[in-house]
Amino acid sequence: MIRRWRRRSRQVRVELFTRWTLYALPWIMLVVMAGPLPGRLRDEGVAGGLAWAQLGLSAVQSVLAIPLLRRGIEHRRREREVPWGLLALATVPMVAGQGAGVAVLSTVGAPDGSAFMTAATMNTLPFSLSSALLLSVRAFTLLHAGIGAATLTALAAAGEGPFMVVGSAFAVLLMAALALFTVRSSIWMLVVMWELDASREVQARLAVAEERLRFGRDLHDVMGRNLAVIALKSELAVQLARRGRPEAAEQMAEVQRIAQESQREVRDVVRGYRGADLQVELAGARSVLRAARVDCRIEYPGGDGDSGRDGDSGEGADGGWGSDGDWAGELPAAVRSALGWVVREGTTNVLRHAEAVRCTVRVGPGRAADGDRTAVLIMENDGVSDPGTPASAGTAGNGLKGLRERLAPLGGTLWSGPGEGGTYRLRAEVPLSADPGREGRQGREGREGREGGGL
């Protein structure tokens, strides 16, 4: 149960907590504000029967309040209409309970004011809590003003004193105002949270649409002119070939050259569209994780990390992180881009699959088995509840699979699994001599390293 609760998002937790608090409130008030009713249940005659009737009607109201509150929350989300039939049904035990309370007050009396509290609270609060979400403020006010007036009239007709008459009517209005404020303020916070979540979804969709438009625009700018030239020169080559002119071969060679150039330009567009910069991704990860209330610590000598170099916290054959003081400035663009993608995917995993409190990202130099200098990135968080689960033990989803495919042409390796102290660790290592165009020897070695590395 606790594990299922922790796997839920914060928004779902807040919504469930608010819902069940409202559902339990009528029962809590029934227990707390029952007053002298339990003692009267032992009475014989009319007083005992009225006490049992009043308690039963209050319990019925509390039962009906749960579906009414649920429908009220759905009504506030504009998912359902007002259930007028159920609301009218809940009115019946409220009116009957109020009548039983007045009868108890008239029969037994209330020298200590206990019957007054019982009649004013138990008989109206469950109905007030549920109707606060289903009715407008004006309708709610008018309805409870009528209930207060009816209570005042009934007590006056029963011959009660002015203090008890006015006090009972005032108690009805006071409890109604308390219910309206409590329920409306709770649901107002939920509505704000729902609207914020919806706005985030819209913002994400707009960002994706904007990026698609940008990519389409860039692709059109690159391909539009080249395709027009290819079409023109192809038509000219056809006409020259029909006339038997040797210039047709020259035109087709030019078409081939332009097609190859277009292919290269499209690769550049796609590479720029999907590129990532290490320093930018580190800054973005720190900003996003801290916004999610995760204490993010960046250790990167080449950026504005929180601690810079830390000689005791890393791995690598050179004696620790940052032992090469100027290595960060020597990172090739391909290596920075690959590590940037690791940071981006690791940050996404922390946000989506972990309930982390702390996250540390360390980037530093290392040495491969053959002595080559490498760049090593370790991302570690404490959000894994059970380090022995398959997901924690290195079972990769599509994101980690895509990272391995990105690192393979560079001869890089990726490992994910449990770290020290119940943490989860993501480790990427890329040679500094990586060549993104070389998928032969280094790519094969990278794949062999992953297969033999126990991932």
Side-chain angles (χ1 to χ4, degrees), residues 111-150:
D112 57 350
S114 58
F116 151 70
M117 291 299 299
T118 301
T121 304
M122 287 181 50
N123 300 324
T124 59
L125 188 59
F127 179 80
S128 300
L129 289 171
S130 55
S131 60
L133 293 177
L134 297 170
L135 302 177
S136 64
V137 176
R138 181 180 180 182
F140 180 89
T141 303
L142 293 176
L143 176 61
H144 284 80
I147 295 174

Side-chain angles (χ1 to χ4, degrees), residues 3 35 42 51 88 116 121 126 137 142 164 214 219 228 258-259 272 279 315 338 350 373 407 417:
R3 188 173 297 175
R42 294 189 295 267
F116 151 70
T121 304
V137 176
L142 293 176
M164 190 62 66
R214 187 195 68 80
L219 193 61
I258 296 175
Q279 191 163 340
E315 300 174 18
V350 171
R373 298 176 65 195
L407 297 179

Side-chain angles (χ1 to χ4, degrees), residues 345 349 353 389-405 414-417 424 426 450 454-455:
E345 179 63 26
N349 289 339
H353 306 302
T389 58
S392 302
T395 302
N398 293 330
L400 297 183
K401 180 180 178 182
L403 287 180
R404 292 192 174 96
E405 293 174 355
L414 183 74
W415 181 87
S416 61
Y424 181 85
L426 179 67
R450 290 193 306 277
L455 294 181

Side-chain angles (χ1 to χ4, degrees), residues 431-444:
L432 296 186
S433 58
D435 182 1
R438 187 170 56 191
E439 298 189 28
R441 181 182 62 84
Q442 290 185 343
R444 288 192 297 273

Side-chain angles (χ1 to χ4, degrees), residues 219-271:
L219 193 61
H220 176 269
D221 294 342
V222 169
M223 295 298 296
R225 179 185 63 84
N226 291 348
L227 289 177
V229 174
I230 289 173
L232 181 62
K233 288 187 173 293
S234 299
E235 184 179 356
L236 179 59
V238 169
Q239 294 178 2
L240 292 175
R242 288 175 178 173
R243 297 175 185 176
R245 300 285 296 274
E247 291 87 350
E250 298 178 0
Q251 295 297 326
M252 289 307 299
E254 184 68 13
V255 168
Q256 184 182 14
R257 184 191 66 79
I258 296 175
Q260 293 174 348
E261 181 181 353
S262 300
Q263 188 178 20
R264 183 175 61 256
E265 290 179 349
V266 169
R267 289 198 191 102
D268 293 339
V269 170
V270 174
R271 188 178 297 114

Side-chain angles (χ1 to χ4, degrees), residues 158-303:
E160 296 295 331
F163 174 78
M164 190 62 66
V165 171
V166 176
S168 298
F170 178 75
V172 170
L173 298 179
L174 179 62
M175 290 300 165
L178 178 63
L180 181 65
F181 174 78
T182 302
V183 175
R184 285 294 184 100
S185 60
S186 300
I187 299 304
W188 175 78
M189 289 188 291
L190 287 183
V191 170
V192 171
M193 187 176 62
W194 294 331
E195 292 177 351
L196 179 60
D197 184 64
S199 66
R200 286 176 178 172
E201 293 181 0
V202 172
Q203 184 179 9
R205 289 196 296 266
L206 290 177
V208 172
E210 183 179 355
E211 190 66 14
R212 288 174 178 172
L213 290 175
R214 187 195 68 80
F215 180 71
R217 181 173 62 251
D218 292 346
L219 193 61
H220 176 269
D221 294 342
V222 169
M223 295 298 296
R225 179 185 63 84
N226 291 348
L227 289 177
V229 174
I230 289 173
L232 181 62
K233 288 187 173 293
S234 299
E235 184 179 356
L236 179 59
V238 169
Q239 294 178 2
L240 292 175
R242 288 175 178 173
R243 297 175 185 176
R245 300 285 296 274
E247 291 87 350
E250 298 178 0
Q251 295 297 326
M252 289 307 299
E254 184 68 13
V255 168
Q256 184 182 14
R257 184 191 66 79
I258 296 175
Q260 293 174 348
E261 181 181 353
S262 300
Q263 188 178 20
R264 183 175 61 256
E265 290 179 349
V266 169
R267 289 198 191 102
D268 293 339
V269 170
V270 174
R271 188 178 297 114
Y273 174 69
R274 303 182 67 184
D277 182 77
L278 176 58
Q279 191 163 340
V280 173
E281 294 299 330
L282 287 173
R286 178 171 55 191
S287 175
V288 170
L289 290 175
R290 287 182 175 176
R293 297 182 179 179
V294 178
D295 183 16
C296 182
R297 182 181 179 86
I298 305 294
E299 298 175 10
Y300 175 48

